[in-house]
Amino acid sequence: MKILFVLPYVPIPANFGGALRVYHLLRLAAQRNDISVISYGTPDQEKELREHLGPRLREVTIVPFTHWPVRYRRLAQAHSLISRHSVLFNLAQSGIMRETLKNRVQKQPYDIIQTEFAHMGSYALETEAVRLLDAHNVEYDNYRRMWVNSRSPLRGLHYRSEYKKFHREEIGAILNQDALIVTSMRDKQILDRDVPERVKYVVPNGVDAKYFSPGDLPPEPFSLVFTGVMSYLPNYDGMLHFLDNIFPLIQKQIPEAKLYIVGSGPPKALQARASDHVVVTGFVDDVRPYVWRSSVYVVPLRMGGGTRLKVLESMSMKKPIVSTAVGSEGIDVRNGESILLADDPAEFADAVVRLLRDQPLRFRMIQNGYELVRSRYEWSVIGQELEKIYGTIVSSQEHST
């Protein structure tokens, strides 16, 4: 098949959740199809993408970031309060991108045009190809959670405004498409309720099990770890919540407990919490050594959408996990079997202490989680499902015309 991918950025380096998903879907699709890409980015990124994906990448068109919301994000956030559009919508809009898409679709026949992220789906495409949106998250529900859990009244006002605007924009983007990919059954249920007109397929996030493999480093006793882009609100909110409400309860029972917070862009409020028992690393080239030497991986998230790649990665590295229900959404885990789930701070702390003290329990969680990842969430398994979906939607389109 001939597939055109429409991207908000070039997913190289693939070092955060959205880029990882886009990169692996491109890589998997390129194994059996002719792939073209239109993306915001730079000439250097185009070169890197070609080097990674090889000869099946037929054509890459890079659209430069020339529109002001990209260059002045803080100003864009302030502007959104008086704009009828959300920040994400304004970030995606460009006359150059609109003309590039229009010209390409008119000149080149495609079987599928796959758009990554809902804010890129607002471009109306006149084409006979199947228009497929990979939603990643239900963004408006993510903003709703940010609004409800915001620590700041001013931030709460911003997230409430974004929720209302993106609710309208995301549904409009979905209605521009013929079919929709979501990452979890929860996201599908939300969108089945709000946009029942469109067919939806679940393609979960995955993990590169060869890269995120178990390590040889012995675990550091009583050590905990969390990894993620720390400038992302759900991550640093989760860590502040953990430090304020959960970690002190763990330390009462295990004074030696130590927490590693690993990821780029930690805000000053988080950096200020660093101590002998709390290590805030900032950016690291490779998160795996920190996970390998940890005893327990914690996911105390209270907001976010889609599915958390960090959960799959830590399972693939054979680490036991304690998570909130939100933190493990979209992954077919079972409480007490492949993960320990707790939303109440005291219950979360007790679950961490149990894992730190109970070696047989840790071993059982590790083995069950590892088997789950290898059977359901390895990218090669997901690639097979993606190909089936491509065949189904193209066949459906042909029968309907």
Side-chain angles (χ1 to χ4, degrees):
M1 295 182 191
K2 293 182 179 179
I3 304 175
L4 172 64
F5 279 80
V6 181
L7 313 180
Y9 50 76
V10 175
I12 306 292
N15 56 7
F16 62 95
L20 278 164
R21 179 176 176 86
V22 174
Y23 171 76
H24 283 290
L25 293 185
L26 278 171
R27 179 181 62 82
L28 292 166
Q31 291 176 359
R32 299 179 179 87
N33 307 282
D34 288 331
I35 303 301
S36 297
V37 171
I38 296 177
S39 177
Y40 288 117
T42 66
D44 287 343
Q45 290 175 320
E46 175 186 350
K47 181 180 177 182
E48 288 182 302
L49 188 63
R50 290 185 180 278
E51 290 173 352
H52 276 79
L53 294 183
R56 282 199 173 273
L57 188 59
R58 297 177 61 240
E59 190 170 4
V60 179
T61 302
I62 294 297
V63 176
F65 290 111
T66 57
H67 45 313
W68 70 267
V70 174
R71 291 176 288 156
Y72 305 102
R73 284 178 176 261
R74 291 298 184 191
L75 183 60
Q77 290 173 345
H79 176 262
S80 74
L81 290 174
I82 59 173
S83 169
R84 67 182 300 268
H85 292 299
S86 69
V87 172
L88 282 175
F89 181 93
N90 286 329
L91 286 173
Q93 297 307 299
S94 161
I96 299 175
M97 175 62 81
R98 184 177 298 106
E99 288 303 310
T100 300
L101 285 169
K102 180 180 177 181
N103 292 336
R104 175 68 68 78
V105 168
Q106 287 177 346
K107 294 178 181 178
Q108 297 282 353
Y110 296 102
D111 298 298
I112 297 172
I113 299 176
Q114 180 166 327
T115 300
E116 298 294 324
F117 296 96
H119 53 285
M120 291 297 292
S122 58
Y123 292 103
L125 303 175
E126 295 183 6
T127 175
E128 294 182 0
V130 176
R131 297 165 299 176
L132 178 64
L133 176 67
D134 180 22
H136 288 248
N137 304 304
V138 180
E139 290 291 355
Y140 63 81
D141 187 64
N142 195 10
Y143 277 116
R144 180 189 63 80
R145 281 177 162 173
M146 291 181 186
W147 162 36
V148 170
N149 290 288
S150 177
R151 293 167 175 260
S152 160
L154 185 59
R155 284 183 179 272
L157 176 64
H158 168 70
Y159 292 130
R160 181 177 181 272
S161 174
E162 291 297 287
Y163 156 65
K164 289 182 174 295
K165 292 172 185 176
F166 210 81
H167 184 273
R168 179 188 72 250
E169 292 162 355
E170 191 162 12
I171 289 176
I174 292 170
L175 291 175
N176 277 338
Q177 314 299 315
D178 298 303
L180 181 68
I181 290 174
V182 294
T183 64
S184 71
M185 281 303 300
R186 177 182 181 273
D187 286 1
K188 182 178 184 298
Q189 289 166 358
I190 292 172
L191 294 174
D192 277 342
R193 179 194 66 207
D194 291 352
V195 201
E197 302 95 321
R198 292 296 178 266
V199 176
K200 304 163 193 76
Y201 301 91
V202 177
V203 177
N205 282 322
V207 64
D208 182 348
K210 290 182 179 179
Y211 184 80
F212 292 102
S213 59
D216 297 326
L217 297 175
E220 179 182 339
F222 309 119
S223 62
L224 314 175
V225 69
F226 176 87
T227 61
V229 177
M230 295 314 304
S231 57
Y232 181 49
L233 175 62
N235 286 339
Y236 76 75
D237 170 83
M239 281 294 94
L240 290 175
H241 168 63
F242 186 82
L243 290 169
D244 288 341
N245 303 310
I246 299 172
F247 195 49
L249 301 178
I250 295 171
Q251 289 182 300
K252 283 184 180 180
Q253 300 184 64
I254 304 179
E256 311 96 315
K258 190 171 184 177
L259 172 65
Y260 292 88
I261 302 172
V262 183
S264 62
K268 291 181 179 179
L270 194 56
Q271 296 179 45
R273 305 296 293 273
S275 67
D276 291 341
H277 291 272
V278 178
V279 177
V280 182
T281 69
F283 173 80
V284 298
D285 289 325
D286 190 348
V287 303
R288 292 175 300 171
Y290 291 91
V291 179
W292 285 334
R293 75 186 188 200
S294 68
S295 295
V296 174
Y297 195 103
V298 294
V299 193
L301 300 184
R302 304 190 298 170
M303 61 183 84
T307 56
R308 257 56 64 183
L309 286 159
K310 57 176 63 66
V311 172
L312 300 174
E313 292 165 358
S314 55
M315 283 183 173
S316 186
M317 288 186 278
K318 289 192 170 182
K319 291 298 168 181
I321 302 168
V322 180
S323 175
T324 58
V326 168
S328 63
E329 274 179 354
I331 303 172
D332 192 20
V333 293
R334 294 186 181 181
N335 188 22
E337 183 176 308
S338 51
I339 198 169
L340 294 183
L341 298 177
D343 290 321
D344 176 76
E347 292 177 359
F348 197 110
D350 287 344
V352 171
V353 170
R354 282 177 60 202
L355 279 178
L356 289 173
R357 288 177 171 170
D358 190 336
Q359 185 174 1
L361 176 61
R362 287 201 306 274
F363 181 78
R364 188 170 77 248
M365 296 291 108
I366 286 169
Q367 290 303 118
N368 291 338
Y370 185 71
E371 291 172 8
L372 174 65
V373 162
R374 294 306 298 264
S375 63
R376 295 281 302 279
Y377 296 102
E378 221 287 329
W379 280 116
S380 60
V381 176
I382 293 170
Q384 295 171 14
E385 293 302 313
L386 185 63
E387 281 300 310
K388 292 178 183 177
I389 291 171
Y390 286 159
T392 298
I393 60 176
V394 170
S395 176
S396 298
Q397 182 85 340
E398 289 172 349
H399 287 131
S400 64
T401 56

